Each structure stands twice: as structure tokens, then as C-alpha cells.
């Protein structure tokens, strides 16, 4: 027990940053613990917002759901850059070239700000039109336009929070990324109810207050990341000259980021279509689905922590010219993930009604959310292997393969299946829910097949 406590303390403190030697199980534990906690903290943004917003009105919940389904396009940019940062910096760290790793972080910051600023301006100006396009009724548009504007305006901090976390993970400093999310989420949880309900000196802003609290928390989290990168007490201590644009490095990062962005964009855009189909069945259905998705993402993000650990191990070990160790790390991460998600699926299926009931007391919302939760968690076994294998390919710098696989799974399987089941065969919302685990099963099987071929071992970054 003392040994495990010591190891847990090491993981949270982040005492190691290179994982190319020693026990693979130990490396997975030291990387995955802070990454899991980081993912839990990120997911709490969504869960906390929905918890408080659900106390305002059904329209407020629908506003969050419709806005978030579009704002995931910004998350696509952020995750693409995060993928590139992890792959590039993990490879340089494995090679022992810390100067180039540090320089890559500076270029990631430059690219993040350049791209996200455009998204912020466009989203702010078109917020109301975007909600209308997503099928929102007049009341939802009236309630949620300011919420959407703030969410889009905060795009730079969203992108930086993701991309800098990816950079820190690639360097093995997962504990620092974890702490930044803890700080950001702590401020969100503190400010959320105050701004939503007007507690103390704060005005009652409703759903708009949720957006302000989230943006503020994330801004503080990014501030902590930048402080950690510039204080110079770690090997990856960022210098001002690293921020100077270098086109060669930028092109290399953008090449990997484009694949990561497009692959996530493919998945994100498919969720927009699913939400659009569900909006035909009314705001209560969208609200129930939104709550279920937030719960699902909350439970899956710890598993994403294991997947991100696999990506870092692949990148660092390929940099150290140890592809066999990289491959062994992936299969171990996948098996641990399967055990975790398999047990969780049973809990989620049995307790679905009680879980959804924590967020809403509206009967139709609860019924829809319960059904969605039970159907979606049936795919947890496929999610376990699929997310680890896909992230491992990304960690190797091979973002092209996951892009193609996502295109097949989400656009040729998920969207057509959802439309056929829900609309043509008249299964209603359950048809949309069922399309998700079906597509994830296809993605997992294709991913395992491609990973076993071994092409990722020779990708140059």
C-alpha cells in the first residue's frame, strides 16, 4: 500500500518527464494518473455548466447543447494542435533534443492565437444566426445568443488550453497540464452559480453567466500554463525567442495538426448533424440528449487519459528508436481501458435514470436522457480499444490514417444510419442514439487492423 501511495504521489507531482526506460506499467501509471485527472477536470466544465443551467430552464439547456455542438468546431482546431504538439514534442523529448522541443512550444502558441482569433470574431458576429441554423426556436435564440457570443469570443483561451496541455503531455509534464485544468475548473465551479443565479454582489445573468464563468476559469488556467512554461525551472522552460515565427517549424506542426483537426472535425461535424436530426423532435429531446452526452463525456474522459498516455509513450519511444516498447505500451493501455470501461458500462446502464435525474426533473427530458445513456454506453468496449489505438497513431505523427478512418465511421456509417433509423424507419430519437455505438465499433475494428500493419513505426516527425 505504501508503495502505491508513493507512486501516486510521484504521478501527481510529475517527478518524471521521460518514459523511454524502465517498467512500462510504471510509465503508464505515472503518465495516465495526471492525464486522467486532467480529463476529469476538463469534463467537469461541461457537467457543472449543465447542472446549474438545468435549474434555469429547458431552453437554457437546449441553448448549451446547440451552441456546444457548433463550438466543437473550435475544439477541433484545439485538439488538432494538441495532437501536433504532443507528437512533435514527445518525439523531440525522446531524442533528447529539448531545445527543439521548447521551440516547438513557442510555435504552437503562435499558431493557436493566429487561428483562434479568426474563429472568435466570426462566431461572435454570427452567434444568433448559428443558433437559428441549428433549428433553435425563437425563445432559445433570445435566451442563448449572448451565451453563444461569449463562448465563441473565448476561442483563443480554449485553443491555448488544449494545445499547451498537449505540449506539456508530450514533454512528459502531464502533472502541470492536470494542475492547470484543476485551477481553471475550480474558478468555473466557484463563479458559475454566482453569475448564473446572482449570488452575492454578482448580477443574475442566467445561462450567460455560465459562459462568463467558463471563459474566466479557462483564461486563468492558460495563465498558469504560460507561467509554468516560462518560469525556467523545468527542461522545457520557454524563452521569448521561441515565440518568434519559424516557417519551417510552423509548416511541420500545421501538417500534423491539419490531420488531427480534420479527423476531429469529421467527428464533431457528425455530432452537429445528429443534434440537427434530434431537434426535429423538440427541445425536451435535445435537452435530454445534451445531458446524456455530457455524462458520457464525463465518464469517457478518464479513458481518454489512458489514450493520451499511450500517445505520449509512442512518441517518446519512437524518438528513442524503441518501436517495440511503443507497441507494447499501446496494448497494455488498451487492456487497462477495457477493464475500466467494461465495469463502468454496467454501472451506467443500471443507474441511468438516477444519473439523468440529477440534472433534470422534467419527465420527458429524464426519459430521453435515460434512453440515450443506456444505448450509448453499450459501445464502451469498442470505445476502450478504439480511442487508444487512434490516439497512438496520432502520437506517432500519423494523423492521416485516423482521419480516413473517422471519415468512414462517422460519415458513411453514423450519419446515414442515424437518419435511416430515426426518420425513414421511424424509430425516433433511439435511432440516432443507436448509430453512435455502431459507428464506434466500426472505427475500433478498422483502427486495430491499421495499427497491426505497423506503418506508424516509420513515420517521420
Amino acid at each position: 500500500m505504501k508503495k502505491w501511495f508513493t507512486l501516486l504521489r510521484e504521478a501527481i507531482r510529475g517527478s518524471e518527464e521521460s518514459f523511454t526506460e524502465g517498467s512500462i506499467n510504471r510509465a503508464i501509471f505515472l503518465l495516465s494518473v495526471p492525464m486522467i485527472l486532467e480529463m476529469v477536470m476538463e469534463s467537469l466544465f461541461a457537467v457543472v455548466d449543465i447542472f446549474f443551467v438545468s435549474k434555469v430552464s429547458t431552453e437554457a439547456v437546449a441553448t448549451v447543447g446547440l451552441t456546444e455542438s457548433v463550438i466543437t468546431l473550435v475544439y477541433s482546431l484545439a485538439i488538432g494542435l494538441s495532437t501536433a504538439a504532443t507528437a512533435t514534442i514527445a518525439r523531440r523529448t525522446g531524442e533528447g533534443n529539448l531545445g527543439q522541443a521548447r521551440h516547438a512550444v513557442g510555435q504552437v502558441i503562435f499558431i493557436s492565437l493566429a487561428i483562434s482569433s479568426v474563429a472568435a470574431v466570426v462566431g461572435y458576429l454570427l452567434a444568433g444566426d448559428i443558433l437559428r441554423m441549428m433549428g433553435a426556436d425563437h425563445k432559445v435564440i433570445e435566451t442563448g445568443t449572448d451565451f453563444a457570443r461569449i463562448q465563441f469570443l473565448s476561442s483563443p483561451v480554449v485553443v491555448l488550453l488544449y494545445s499547451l496541455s498537449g505540449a506539456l503531455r508530450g514533454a512528459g509534464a502531464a502533472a502541470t497540464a492536470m494542475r492547470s485544468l484543476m485551477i481553471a475548473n475550480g474558478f468555473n465551479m466557484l463563479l458559475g452559480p454566482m453569475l448564473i443565479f446572482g449570488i452575492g454582489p454578482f448580477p443574475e445573468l442566467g445561462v450567460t453567466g455560465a459562459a462568463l464563468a467558463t471563459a474566466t476559469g479557462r483564461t486563468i488556467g492558460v495563465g498558469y500554463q504560460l507561467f509554468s512554461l516560462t518560469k525556467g525551472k523545468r527542461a522545457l522552460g520557454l524563452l521569448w525567442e521561441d515565440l518568434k515565427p519559424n516557417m519551417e517549424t510552423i509548416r511541420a506542426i500545421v501538417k500534423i495538426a491539419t490531420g488531427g483537426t480534420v479527423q476531429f472535425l469529421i467527428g464533431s461535424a457528425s455530432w452537429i448533424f445528429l443534434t440537427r436530426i434530434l431537434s426535429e423532435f423538440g427541445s425536451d429531446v435535445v435537452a435530454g440528449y445534451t445531458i446524456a452526452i455530457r455524462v458520457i463525456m464525463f465518464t469517457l474522459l478518464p479513458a481518454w487519459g489512458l489514450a493520451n498516455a499511450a500517445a505520449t509513450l509512442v512518441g517518446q519511444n519512437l524518438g528513442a528508436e524503441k518501436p517495440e516498447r511503443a507497441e507494447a505500451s499501446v496494448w497494455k493501455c488498451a487492456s487497462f481501458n477495457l477493464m475500466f470501461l467494461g465495469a463502468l458500462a454496467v454501472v451506467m446502464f443500471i443507474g441511468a435514470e438516477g444519473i439523468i435525474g440529477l440534472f433534470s426533473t422534467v419527465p420527458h427530458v429524464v426519459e430521453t436522457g435515460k434512453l440515450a445513456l443506456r444505448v450509448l454506453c453499450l459501445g464502451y468496449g469498442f470505445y476502450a480499444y478504439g480511442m487508444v489505438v487512434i490516439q497512438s497513431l496520432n502520437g506517432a505523427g500519423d494523423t492521416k490514417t485516423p482521419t480516413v478512418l473517422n471519415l468512414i465511421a462517422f460519415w458513411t456509417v453514423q450519419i446515414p444510419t442515424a437518419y435511416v433509423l430515426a426518420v425513414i424507419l421511424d424509430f425516433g430519437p433511439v435511432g440516432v442514439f443507436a448509430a453512435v455505438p455502431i459507428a464506434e465499433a466500426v472505427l475500433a475494428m478498422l483502427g486495430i487492423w491499421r495499427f497491426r500493419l505497423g506503418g506508424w513505426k516509420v513515420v517521420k516527425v
Side-chain angles (χ1 to χ4, degrees):
M1 181 64 69
K2 183 177 179 181
K3 178 182 177 181
W4 281 105
F5 179 78
T6 301
L7 197 59
L8 179 63
R9 185 174 60 184
E10 287 183 32
I12 294 175
R13 290 178 58 188
S15 56
E16 293 187 25
E17 296 186 1
S18 181
F19 299 91
T20 58
E21 301 285 348
S23 166
I24 293 177
N25 286 345
R26 185 175 189 276
I28 292 173
F29 187 86
L30 291 177
L31 272 173
S32 63
V33 167
M35 288 184 181
I36 287 171
L37 292 174
E38 177 194 347
M39 295 296 103
V40 170
M41 289 300 104
E42 176 58 36
S43 69
L44 277 177
F45 275 113
V47 174
V48 168
D49 286 350
I50 281 295
F51 178 80
F52 289 121
V53 167
S54 65
K55 311 303 180 186
V56 178
S57 67
T58 299
E59 287 75 22
V61 176
T63 294
V64 174
L66 293 173
T67 303
E68 287 293 325
S69 66
V70 178
I71 207 75
T72 48
L73 301 179
V74 175
Y75 294 151
S76 299
L77 298 173
I79 290 176
L81 280 169
S82 178
T83 298
T86 298
T88 304
I89 294 162
R91 190 69 67 95
R92 299 292 86 83
T93 301
E95 294 168 352
N97 195 342
L98 298 180
Q100 284 298 313
R102 189 190 66 222
H103 178 67
V105 175
Q107 303 309 294
V108 166
I109 293 173
F110 176 81
I111 298 168
S112 297
L113 290 174
I115 295 176
S116 61
S117 296
V118 176
V121 173
V122 173
Y124 178 82
L125 295 175
L126 301 178
D129 295 327
I130 290 172
L131 288 176
R132 189 174 296 106
M133 178 187 68
M134 288 300 298
D137 57 34
H138 175 73
K139 194 169 183 179
V140 170
I141 293 173
E142 182 180 351
T143 300
T145 298
D146 285 341
F147 173 89
R149 283 175 177 164
I150 295 169
Q151 289 287 72
F152 279 109
L153 202 58
S154 66
S155 295
V157 292
V158 171
V159 175
L160 279 173
L161 194 63
Y162 274 85
S163 62
L164 291 180
S165 290
L168 290 164
R169 287 194 299 268
T176 302
M178 171 198 71
R179 285 191 289 270
S180 70
L181 266 296
M182 284 184 170
I183 292 170
N185 198 69
F187 276 95
N188 181 50
M189 294 177 69
L190 177 66
L191 293 174
M194 292 181 176
L195 291 170
I196 293 171
F197 304 114
I199 298 174
F202 297 96
E204 183 177 349
L205 300 176
V207 69
T208 302
L212 283 172
T214 300
T216 301
R218 283 175 170 157
T219 300
I220 295 171
V222 169
Y224 174 77
Q225 290 177 327
L226 293 173
F227 171 76
S228 298
L229 286 167
T230 56
K231 65 182 180 180
K233 294 182 179 179
R234 61 171 66 253
L236 202 63
L238 192 66
L239 303 176
W240 281 111
E241 53 259 35
D242 295 319
L243 297 174
K244 183 179 179 180
N246 180 291
M247 292 312 299
E248 182 180 354
T249 306
I250 288 174
R251 279 194 293 269
I253 292 173
V254 168
K255 182 179 179 181
I256 299 175
T258 299
T261 297
V262 171
Q263 78 180 248
F264 191 79
L265 186 61
I266 289 168
S268 300
S270 72
W271 286 103
I272 294 176
F273 277 89
L274 295 187
T275 305
R276 184 66 182 86
I277 294 172
L278 286 173
S279 68
E280 297 297 322
F281 298 97
S283 293
D284 282 354
V285 170
V286 173
Y289 169 73
T290 298
I291 293 171
I293 286 296
R294 292 300 181 91
V295 173
I296 287 289
M297 295 310 297
F298 179 77
T299 57
L300 283 184
L301 282 176
W304 276 112
L306 269 169
N308 287 333
T312 296
L313 288 169
V314 166
Q316 287 198 5
N317 283 289
L318 287 181
E321 299 183 356
K322 297 180 178 180
E324 292 79 13
R325 180 180 171 89
E327 184 171 5
S329 300
V330 172
W331 295 126
K332 285 195 174 185
C333 284
S335 63
F336 293 151
N337 221 15
L338 180 62
M339 288 187 285
F340 167 68
L341 287 181
L344 189 60
V346 175
V347 175
M348 297 283 285
F349 191 90
I350 295 174
E353 185 171 357
I355 293 170
I356 299 298
L358 294 174
F359 299 90
S360 177
T361 57
V362 179
H364 192 41
V365 172
V366 173
E367 189 62 30
T368 300
K370 178 183 72 173
L371 180 61
L373 202 57
R374 285 180 170 169
V375 173
L376 293 172
C377 75
L378 292 177
Y380 270 21
F382 293 108
Y383 304 159
Y385 265 79
M387 62 176 61
V388 169
V389 171
I390 293 298
Q391 281 299 90
S392 297
L393 292 171
N394 285 327
D398 178 16
T399 55
K400 181 179 178 181
T401 297
T403 300
V404 174
L405 299 186
N406 278 338
L407 185 63
I408 293 171
F410 296 129
W411 285 81
T412 68
V413 176
Q414 183 170 272
I415 295 174
T417 300
Y419 185 79
V420 169
L421 292 177
V423 180
I424 296 179
L425 297 182
D426 200 26
F427 282 102
V430 71
V432 176
F433 308 152
V436 176
I438 290 172
E440 293 289 349
V442 172
L443 180 62
M445 290 186 288
L446 290 176
I448 292 171
W449 168 65
R450 289 294 299 179
F451 186 83
R452 286 189 177 279
L453 292 180
W456 54 274
K457 297 178 181 179
V458 295
V459 173
K460 302 297 180 183
V461 175

